[in-house]
Amino acid sequence: MFHVAHSEAGSVSARIAQVRAEVADTGTYRHTTNELAYGARIALRDSGWCTSGVPWRRLKVRDLRGYRNAAAVAGECVEHLRLATNEGEIRPLVTVFAPDTPGTPGPCIWNEQLIRYAGYSDGMGDPRYAQFTDTMQGMGWVPPDDRSRFDYLPLVVETAHEGARLFTMPREVVHEVPLEHPDIPEFAELGLRWHSTPVISNMRLTIGGINYPAAPFNSWFVGAEIGARSLADEGAYGAAREVAEALGLDTSSERTLWRDLATVHLNRAVLHSFDKAQVTITDHHAEALHRLAWLRSRQKPSPARPAFRLDPVAAQRARTGGPARFAPGAVEETRPHGRLAELMRLHSLAAEASA
């Protein structure tokens, strides 16, 4: 794919021969910087997470494949958030850390996104992450003395040689938008807010058979992700009722459609507030048209294509705080997949034939 798109890259057959020789010697191979950037851009374009307006061909890819230690990975995650936030003019980025190799697995990030809010046993905060919050406290994280509905969870980076380590997300690097309504001044008194930059951090980037278990990436928010999914939903903050009460809506019966009206006002407040704060955001109507166009044009799924993949265990880890990836008897494996596995199989067959 890379050579088809970049005729100046030279002979593809020569590159494949080089890759096969490297696989034969080491059990894996290393992407060139240009191959890595191209694969990451294609993976984001085809992932469904690439929101409308993202210039995927110019997407900045940070090549940090030399980073394996937890503290270094955490520090660069903070830098990714700072660069991506860009004072509100959200900049789409992908940061790629060390890959899995036959002898040395790469680091992984437990968190679903770099910024997630804690959920406490008394109901305060985001209940979606209540179990994760409990696990973090069991691992030594101490919540703020003055707990709130929007306390940042620690970043958890796990490596094979260090285990899982917790890192505090610096408050100064997190850009949050306080929510207000364009027509209802009392709305601001609810104290609702949300962080500006959605950096997805627990998906595995796979390119040409190489797995990068830590490759955080971001585009920008769709307003309804915040208003409807995170704030209004009863399984999340459940703020629809307090918004309805603040608006004086009749909540005595679902048939009054108070929940629908409250959700619309929440979505409107999100878009208005992000626009007022000059933070990049898109609305769900524009995004629906973009997603339909994406669905019509997307390639058929194939294990050989670059992709961001969410493993079931990684999804569980992001909500419950476990299991550890490198615990004894862990179910995850770091063996090659897809095209790399096929290259190794063909090399093995060739070796047997020559013998």
Side-chain angles (χ1 to χ4, degrees):
M1 289 177 64
F2 172 74
H3 279 260
V4 168
H6 297 83
S7 58
E8 75 282 1
S11 168
V12 66
S13 58
R15 175 58 178 149
I16 290 175
Q18 182 184 26
V19 167
R20 284 178 172 155
E22 199 173 342
V23 169
D25 289 341
T26 67
T28 186
Y29 72 103
R30 180 179 174 85
H31 291 123
T32 67
T33 300
N34 289 335
E35 288 169 353
L36 178 73
Y38 179 77
R41 289 165 181 156
I42 292 294
L44 184 57
R45 182 196 70 181
D46 293 350
S47 68
W49 288 94
C50 192
T51 48
S52 57
V54 171
W56 68 269
R57 289 182 178 84
R58 301 192 305 275
L59 176 72
K60 182 174 175 57
V61 179
R62 303 174 71 226
D63 183 357
L64 301 181
R65 286 175 287 176
Y67 288 63
R68 289 186 178 274
N69 292 335
V73 171
E76 289 301 330
C77 284
V78 172
E79 180 66 2
H80 179 122
L81 184 62
R82 187 188 69 79
L83 291 171
T85 300
N86 193 32
E87 298 183 344
E89 189 177 347
I90 307 300
R91 179 185 299 159
L93 296 176
V94 180
T95 297
V96 184
F97 295 109
D100 286 339
T101 66
T104 310
C108 76
I109 300 167
W110 287 20
N111 309 62
E112 187 176 58
Q113 291 189 23
L114 293 186
I115 302 301
R116 276 298 187 231
Y117 296 117
Y120 300 110
S121 55
D122 61 2
M124 179 180 287
D126 194 336
R128 295 175 296 182
Y129 304 99
Q131 192 170 349
F132 189 96
T133 302
D134 288 344
T135 302
M136 293 303 99
Q137 290 181 269
M139 294 172 65
W141 177 64
V142 179
D145 292 334
D146 51 340
R147 297 184 183 186
S148 75
R149 303 172 74 183
F150 301 99
D151 295 336
Y152 312 146
L153 283 165
L155 184 66
V156 187
V157 181
E158 185 184 5
T159 65
H161 60 287
E162 299 169 292
R165 294 186 59 191
L166 277 59
F167 299 89
T168 300
M169 186 59 67
R171 180 166 293 276
E172 61 271 16
V173 83
V174 183
H175 185 196
E176 291 181 301
V177 177
L179 302 186
E180 58 182 64
H181 195 283
D183 302 324
I184 306 168
E186 295 79 12
F187 189 100
E189 298 174 7
L190 296 174
L192 299 174
R193 63 178 189 264
W194 207 255
H195 62 96
S196 66
T197 316
V199 184
I200 299 168
S201 48
N202 70 332
M203 296 184 76
R204 166 173 58 92
L205 173 61
T206 177
I207 304 172
I210 303 294
N211 286 314
Y212 299 95
F217 66 93
N218 71 279
S219 54
W220 43 70
F221 271 120
V222 179
E225 291 182 60
I226 302 170
R229 187 182 303 171
S230 295
L231 292 176
D233 195 296
E234 288 297 323
Y237 273 85
R241 182 173 291 276
E242 60 184 292
V243 169
E245 291 173 351
L247 297 176
L249 302 178
D250 179 5
T251 60
S252 62
S253 169
E254 295 290 348
R255 293 180 68 85
T256 66
L257 302 184
W258 62 267
R259 196 181 303 276
D260 304 71
L261 292 169
T263 301
V264 168
H265 281 291
L266 267 169
N267 286 335
R268 191 174 176 206
V270 168
L271 294 173
H272 166 78
S273 302
F274 271 62
D275 287 345
K276 182 178 180 180
Q278 297 183 317
V279 175
T280 311
I281 196 169
T282 185
D283 64 85
H284 58 283
H285 294 292
E287 199 57 30
L289 295 174
H290 170 69
R291 294 295 172 94
L292 284 171
W294 171 76
L295 286 168
R296 293 189 187 104
S297 64
R298 67 179 298 210
Q299 299 287 335
K300 292 182 179 179
S302 165
R305 292 182 66 83
F308 283 99
R309 305 184 191 281
L310 180 59
D311 300 318
V313 177
Q316 177 187 354
R317 191 181 295 128
R319 291 301 178 99
T320 66
R325 184 184 186 208
F326 301 115
V331 299
E332 293 190 61
E333 58 182 30
T334 60
R335 290 183 295 176
H337 296 273
R339 180 61 179 157
L340 177 56
E342 178 65 11
L343 282 170
M344 295 184 70
R345 186 184 71 81
L346 291 173
H347 175 75
S348 176
L349 290 175
E352 292 176 5
S354 62

